[in-house]
Amino acid sequence: MTIHEISPKQLRALLLLLVLVPFIPLVLMLRFMTDALQGERDAARERLSSDTQRTLSSATISVDRHLTTFVGPVSPEEMRRLCLEAFDPTIDISISDAGGGLVAGPAKPPGRLVAQSSIKYLDKPWTTRAWLVDERPLQEEVRDQFKVYAWTGLIAAVAICTIAAAAGLTVNQQLRLHELKNTSVATVAHELRTPLATMRVLVDTLREGRYRNEEQLREYLDLLHSENLRLSRLTEHFLTHSRLARGQYQFTFAPVRADSIANHALNSLQPKLSAPGCSFTLDVEKSLPPVMADRDSLVTVLINLLENALKYTGDEKRITLRARRDDDTLVFIVEDNGVGLTATQRKQIFEPFYQADQKLSRSRSGVGLGLSIVRAIVSAHRGRIEIASEPNRGAAFSVHIPLAQA
């Protein structure tokens, strides 16, 4: 069975779908809750009407008995008062005669009609009506159910949004990984092609004997050696990044002095740092306390930071490597007078294959893995890295590594 890879277009469509889909159950749930609450209100009104009807019927029966035993006429208002005694203040009573004319009670309907009953007065049928003038008891009866629905809906909405957000983050991560893979493949191909093409031209030239003298032969061999070192560095960066990303990089921790780490880093870069146009300053005291670290890894950190400084400075380079103690950590600081970084670049500079200045990256070797490797190694040492930089004002990278316990 062939498994087809999802294209970026499909991933973006899926991401958009994950953003829109949660609204469907939320709308349906809101509609269900609204209908359920309306049903609760209707049921509460029905119960109120039924209870009021029974109470009103009992009250009119009592009034009717009172009228048959009472000597003398009774006013409609007295009849209304006798009916009201059976209800709480949320109910008002009106009485109308056989023709529908109002004889007692409010002139206008004071609320919603909830019950009515007939009573005989002076051999004529009169009608008593019960009006709900205050719906707060009805609302209080529904309020508890509303709280249940509200909390249930809130929890369900949070759960749906959380699941959708998690799925969206996963899809977005896959999209970024897809784009990163394409970028990394293109970058790697470009960086490998350049030295390979140079080496091929030089090898063909030497094979055909197209050189004038021993001096030119030595020059061609030096170029071959330089390009070979460049390929070796690229390959080492790829392997280191891959091992760190998969958690397979082996660290050997032991107490190491700061000057030892700095000197091993400088041994690899001495020709570049001592080249014309480069002013390099080393400020690392031998008296600094040791750190518990993997020496080769921290050497790689300093080499990558120094190479980054060399890459992003102009013709007049001023680079400084310092080390100092800061409480319970040792701080390595690499400063330069290069192009500097914006706030956005400072946030992205440690991402794999990211290069702050694309013009400089095209004119100089590198695939954008150096600082990503630096961050991974520093994190493995339970340290941290800080950047102080402004555009066109250089940059200072500070690496904090915990001191070795005495």
Side-chain angles (χ1 to χ4, degrees):
M1 180 179 64
T2 302
I3 300 178
H4 296 283
E5 185 178 303
I6 300 178
S7 66
K9 185 177 181 180
Q10 292 172 321
L11 284 173
R12 290 189 182 92
L14 182 58
L15 185 61
L16 179 61
L17 188 63
L18 287 172
V19 172
L20 297 177
V21 162
F23 287 100
I24 298 175
L26 289 177
V27 170
L28 293 177
M29 183 175 61
L30 181 62
R31 178 64 183 272
F32 169 77
M33 290 172 57
T34 303
D35 293 343
L37 284 173
Q38 186 60 43
E40 290 290 336
R41 292 191 188 95
D42 294 342
R45 291 192 184 103
E46 186 64 30
R47 289 192 297 271
L48 177 64
S49 297
S50 179
D51 294 342
T52 305
Q53 184 64 54
R54 285 196 297 270
T55 304
L56 184 61
S57 298
S58 299
T60 52
I61 290 173
S62 298
V63 171
D64 189 55
R65 288 174 179 171
H66 180 83
L67 291 177
T68 57
T69 58
F70 193 83
V71 179
V74 177
S75 68
E77 288 295 335
E78 182 67 15
M79 292 173 56
R80 177 172 175 270
R81 185 188 65 78
L82 292 172
C83 290
L84 284 172
E85 289 178 354
F87 296 97
D88 58 42
T90 62
I91 298 295
D92 200 356
I93 299 295
S94 65
I95 302 176
S96 56
D97 56 21
L102 183 68
V103 295
K108 294 182 179 180
R112 189 168 56 86
L113 179 65
V114 291
Q116 66 180 25
S117 182
S118 298
I119 184 172
K120 205 166 201 182
Y121 179 63
L122 300 177
D123 295 329
K124 293 182 180 179
W126 286 15
T127 301
T128 58
R129 292 182 174 85
W131 305 88
L132 179 65
V133 296
D134 187 357
E135 293 203 5
R136 280 179 295 181
L138 194 64
Q139 295 172 353
E140 290 175 359
E141 185 177 350
V142 182
R143 186 175 300 162
D144 291 339
Q145 191 64 33
F146 173 77
K147 290 180 180 178
V148 172
Y149 285 140
W151 279 109
T152 303
L154 180 61
I155 293 172
V158 170
I160 292 172
C161 292
T162 301
I163 294 172
L169 287 174
T170 302
V171 172
N172 187 53
Q173 184 180 19
Q174 291 298 320
L175 184 58
R176 289 186 61 190
L177 287 174
H178 192 283
E179 293 175 349
L180 180 61
K181 184 181 71 174
N182 290 339
T183 301
S184 63
V185 170
T187 303
V188 170
H190 177 268
E191 290 299 324
L192 291 178
R193 182 179 61 185
T194 302
L196 286 174
T198 303
M199 292 174 68
R200 180 178 178 181
V201 171
L202 290 171
V203 169
D204 289 344
T205 300
L206 293 175
R207 284 183 60 191
E208 296 172 5
R210 289 187 282 113
Y211 54 89
R212 293 187 298 272
N213 49 42
E214 291 294 325
E215 183 179 353
Q216 190 176 45
L217 174 61
R218 172 61 62 179
E219 181 183 350
Y220 287 166
L221 290 175
D222 288 342
L223 287 173
L224 277 172
H225 178 69
S226 174
E227 293 301 319
N228 184 60
L229 289 178
R230 179 179 175 185
L231 279 176
S232 298
R233 286 197 304 270
L234 289 173
T235 305
E236 190 61 33
H237 271 183
F238 296 144
L239 291 176
T240 302
H241 173 72
S242 177
R243 293 189 187 114
L244 288 169
R246 292 180 295 169
Q248 296 180 352
Y249 194 91
Q250 298 298 320
F251 293 95
T252 303
F253 292 92
V256 189
R257 296 206 325 260
D259 61 317
S260 175
I261 298 171
N263 289 331
H264 277 81
L266 295 180
N267 288 338
S268 300
L269 297 174
Q270 192 61 44
K272 293 182 179 178
L273 295 173
S274 59
C278 180
S279 172
F280 175 71
T281 303
L282 177 65
D283 183 12
V284 179
E285 297 180 2
K286 293 183 178 181
S287 59
L288 289 171
V291 293
M292 183 62 66
D294 181 278
R295 189 191 67 180
D296 292 341
S297 296
L298 289 190
V299 169
T300 299
V301 167
L302 294 186
I303 289 175
N304 288 355
L305 291 177
L306 289 170
E307 284 187 335
N308 191 74
L310 288 165
K311 178 179 178 180
Y312 288 101
T313 49
D315 295 333
E316 295 296 327
K317 305 177 187 295
R318 294 192 301 275
I319 299 173
T320 302
L321 171 59
R322 302 200 315 269
R324 60 180 176 82
R325 180 173 181 171
D326 183 15
D327 293 332
D328 57 348
T329 64
L330 182 68
V331 186
F332 290 99
I333 304 172
V334 176
E335 293 179 299
D336 63 59
N337 64 328
V339 296
L341 297 166
T342 64
T344 301
Q345 290 171 337
R346 290 197 298 270
K347 294 179 181 178
Q348 300 176 345
I349 194 69
F350 295 106
E351 295 297 323
F353 301 102
Y354 179 82
Q355 294 180 320
D357 193 314
Q358 296 298 323
K359 294 179 180 178
L360 284 176
S361 66
R362 284 193 295 267
S363 62
R364 293 166 172 83
S365 63
V367 293
L369 287 178
L371 294 182
S372 174
I373 292 172
V374 167
R375 181 178 62 176
I377 292 176
V378 172
S379 297
H381 284 74
R382 292 177 299 166
R384 70 182 190 277
I385 184 167
E386 300 172 347
I387 307 175
S389 180
E390 296 293 337
N392 301 316
R393 300 183 64 180
F397 289 80
S398 302
V399 176
H400 298 251
I401 303 296
L403 295 174
Q405 298 297 324

